[in-house]
Amino acid sequence: MSTLYAIYGASGCGRSLMPVAREMLDTLGENAEIVFIDDGLTEIIMVNGHQAMNYQQFKSQCAVKKKVLIAIANSQIREKLADQLEQDNIELWSVKANNVVIMDNVELADGSALSPFVCITSNIKIGKCFHANLYSYVEHDCVIGDYVTFAPSVKCNGNVHIHDHAYIGAGAVIKQGSPDKPLIIGKNAVVGMGAVVTKDVPANTTVVGNPARPLIKK
Ligand code: UDP
């Protein structure tokens, strides 16, 4: 019996990452099964040609080893599920598309999902369960915390520090910082889609627009 692989989440994020994971295993020559885990399910069904089951059903599957990619955009859910997997001694799985470019000295923690056309350049440190959606890039000397999420086409330039659980919306551009003064995006911050971030974003703050400014709810 070989490793049983799973994509946790059978909604949009999971269904978009399943083909990426499948292609990665094919390239590695590993002819292993990949299933979906989704707690919204009560019985085992087929989703896009793969078995889909809830976590209890997954735990009862027989396998020498299990590896799970958490493919859910909500970072708080990713953290909760990663803790649960750790308690159950199930490994986090990292998945990357075959055309992802990763340059020199990149430290990437477990559980990352790198979608097609993502580029991570050099001297970069990235924490647990990072999601970089289609066409996003991370430039040199960035430091990214745990459970950070990039929607598609995020342009994160050099010397930017992004703290845990920040969410960067589709098409956002983050201005380059400098080695002595990196641009900082604080913990739990949200950058709206298309925003142009030119200065630090405080923790727990949503910014939108060009130049990006805190969102004031009316
Ligand atoms: N989900 C789950 N366990 C949880 C929380 C969420 O299996 O503890 C599943 C949920 O049933 C849903 C998916 O994760 O199918 C999240 O889907 P959603 O459309 O909200 O987001 P996305 O796919 O974009 O991350």
Side-chain angles (χ1 to χ4, degrees):
M1 227 173 301
S2 55
T3 303
L4 176 61
Y5 291 93
I7 303 287
Y8 210 139
S11 191
C13 186
R15 282 181 287 111
S16 298
L17 283 163
M18 177 61 90
V20 171
R22 204 169 53 224
E23 191 183 44
M24 187 180 86
L25 285 190
D26 282 352
T27 306
L28 294 170
E30 210 173 318
N31 186 23
E33 193 186 353
I34 315 178
V35 300
F36 283 110
I37 306 170
D38 198 295
D39 296 310
L41 297 170
T42 49
E43 57 187 53
I44 300 181
I45 59 166
M46 295 303 283
V47 174
N48 292 352
H50 293 263
Q51 283 199 318
M53 59 194 73
N54 63 41
Y55 186 61
Q56 291 312 319
Q57 290 160 335
F58 175 72
K59 278 209 298 186
S60 66
Q61 301 289 307
C62 258
V64 173
K65 193 167 158 186
K66 293 177 181 172
K67 292 185 84 164
V68 176
L69 171 74
I70 307 170
I72 295 175
N74 182 312
S75 68
Q76 299 297 338
I77 296 178
R78 287 212 297 285
E79 181 167 18
K80 179 193 85 173
L81 297 178
D83 290 348
Q84 186 179 57
L85 290 167
E86 196 180 344
Q87 274 172 26
D88 293 334
N89 275 317
I90 298 175
E91 266 182 57
L92 286 175
W93 185 28
S94 298
V95 164
K96 72 179 171 76
N98 282 347
N99 69 357
V100 164
V101 174
I102 298 181
M103 298 186 182
D104 289 337
N105 268 309
V106 173
E107 216 180 289
L108 183 60
D110 291 338
S112 59
L114 307 181
S115 294
F117 304 100
V118 161
C119 182
I120 318 263
T121 72
S122 296
N123 303 94
I124 290 163
K125 187 169 188 280
I126 299 176
K128 255 172 115 168
C129 296
F130 176 55
H131 275 198
N133 215 318
L134 304 167
Y135 293 98
S136 289
Y137 72 74
V138 181
E139 256 285 17
H140 63 90
D141 300 299
C142 285
V143 179
I144 294 180
D146 293 330
Y147 306 104
V148 169
T149 311
F150 281 14
S153 284
V154 168
K155 296 170 178 63
C156 177
N157 290 296
N159 283 299
V160 169
H161 290 192
I162 303 182
H163 296 173
D164 298 352
H165 288 284
Y167 178 90
I168 317 296
V173 183
I174 306 170
K175 188 185 177 185
Q176 172 165 322
S178 61
D180 49 329
K181 196 182 177 307
L183 188 146
I184 292 170
I185 300 199
K187 188 171 176 181
N188 298 320
V190 174
V191 173
M193 62 180 166
V196 178
V197 178
T198 56
K199 54 186 187 187
D200 292 356
V201 177
N204 305 306
T205 302
T206 298
V207 296
V208 293
N210 177 9
R213 293 196 176 92
L215 180 67
I216 296 158
K217 288 193 180 132
K218 287 176 189 150

